[in-house]
Amino acid sequence: MFGLAIGSFLNVVAIRIPQGQSIVRPPSRCPHCEHRLGPADLIPVASYLFLRGKCRYCRAPVSPMYAAGEAAAGALFAVTAWKLGFSPELAVGLLFVSILLVITLTDLSRMIIPDKVVFFGMAAAFVLRLFIHPLPLWNYALAFFAGSGLLLMIGLLGTAVLRKESMGGGDVKLFAFIGLVLGVKLTLLSVFAASLFGTLFGVIQLARGRFRRNEPIPFGPFIAAGAFCAYFWGDRILDLYFALIFR
C-alpha cells in the first residue's frame, strides 16, 4: 500500500521533471481539461480502473502509464520489503527502486534520463551509505567510478564502430548512482546484465521488423532491470556462474 501511494508521486516526478515543472504546484489535474483532481480521482490504480481509464470531468482517455507506474511501484516496494525485511538496508532499497522506476518511465516516454533525478539519487545514496554500508565505504566509492567508467568505454567503442553516438550521458551518470548502492562486484554484474537484456531485446525486435537497424532504443529500462536483478539476486547468480565454470 505504501508503494502504491509513493508510486502516484513518482508518476508526478516522471512527468513534470522532464518538462521543467514543479513537482509540488500546481496540484494534480487532468492533462486534457486541466480540471483539478479530487481525492476520489487519486486513489492509486483503483481510480483508473473505476473510471475505466477516462477523466471523470471531460471523459478524455487517460494514459495507462499512470496506473502502470503505480502498480509497478507497489510491486517493487513489496519485493524490496520481502527480500530485505525491516532492516536499515530497506531505506536504501526503497530509494534504489524508486529512482530506477522514475528513470524507466522518463526514458520510455521521452528518451531521457533527467539529471535532477539521478543527482538526487546520488546525494541520497551517498548520505545513506555513510551510515548503512554492508561493504567497506571504499568499495562503494570505487563502484561510483567503475560502473560509469565501464559504460562510458562501451559507449565510446560503440561510437567509434557505428560512427554515431551510441550511449547517452544519462546512462553513464545513472551507473554512478547504481555504484553507490551496489558496490563494485554487483555494479559490474549489472552492466553485463543491462547489456545482455538490451541486446536480446534489440535482436528480437529487429528480427520481428519492429524497428530499423540504426533506430535508437531507450537503454534506461534495461539498466534498471539489470541493476534490480544484481541488487537482489546478484550474489546467487555469480555463485551459480562460477560453480558452472569451475565444474
Side-chain angles (χ1 to χ4, degrees):
M1 296 303 294
F2 179 60
L4 288 172
I6 295 298
S8 183
F9 171 72
L10 297 179
N11 270 338
V12 173
V13 173
I15 293 169
R16 295 190 180 185
I17 290 296
Q19 298 177 357
Q21 299 177 353
S22 168
I23 60 175
V24 179
R25 295 182 180 277
S28 297
R29 56 186 178 177
C30 172
H32 303 285
C33 66
E34 299 190 351
H35 192 289
R36 181 173 177 175
L37 302 182
D41 306 316
L42 298 173
I43 303 173
V45 181
S47 292
Y48 181 87
L49 296 176
F50 179 75
L51 296 172
R52 298 182 180 180
K54 296 180 180 179
C55 171
R56 181 191 302 273
Y57 309 99
C58 68
R59 306 307 298 168
V62 177
S63 172
M65 288 294 289
Y66 290 97
E70 294 166 348
L76 290 171
F77 274 46
V79 171
T80 303
W82 168 53
K83 295 294 291 183
L84 301 178
F86 289 99
S87 64
E89 182 67 17
L90 181 59
V92 179
L94 294 181
L95 168 71
F96 190 54
V97 297
S98 295
I99 297 296
L100 294 181
L101 177 58
V102 171
I103 64 93
T104 296
L105 294 174
T106 60
D107 211 16
L108 286 175
S109 61
R110 293 180 171 270
M111 293 282 289
I112 60 173
I113 297 177
D115 285 345
K116 288 184 178 180
V117 175
V118 177
F119 290 154
F120 171 81
M122 287 183 191
F126 175 79
V127 173
L128 288 173
R129 278 296 181 226
L130 289 177
F131 304 98
I132 308 167
H133 48 89
L135 302 174
L137 288 175
W138 64 262
N139 195 300
Y140 296 108
L142 181 60
F144 178 84
F145 298 100
S148 56
L150 179 58
L151 197 68
L152 179 61
M153 288 190 292
I154 293 174
L156 292 175
L157 179 61
T159 301
V161 173
L162 301 176
R163 296 183 180 180
K164 61 180 295 187
E165 185 176 357
S166 61
M167 192 72 63
D171 300 329
V172 176
K173 297 169 190 173
L174 178 60
F175 261 109
F177 160 71
I178 291 172
L180 287 175
V181 176
L182 298 186
V184 174
K185 179 176 67 174
L186 296 185
T187 297
L188 297 180
L189 174 62
S190 70
V191 174
F192 171 78
S195 302
L196 177 63
F197 294 155
T199 299
L200 291 176
F201 176 82
V203 169
I204 292 172
Q205 293 296 90
L206 190 63
R208 297 174 64 185
R210 291 296 183 90
F211 60 80
R212 297 181 297 275
R213 184 177 299 274
N214 294 324
E215 182 178 348
I217 61 174
F219 193 47
F222 303 110
I223 295 177
F228 182 81
C229 291
Y231 185 53
F232 290 114
W233 299 286
D235 288 325
R236 184 177 180 183
I237 292 172
L238 290 174
D239 288 343
L240 291 172
Y241 174 76
F242 287 116
L244 179 64
I245 292 298
F246 288 111
R247 184 179 301 167

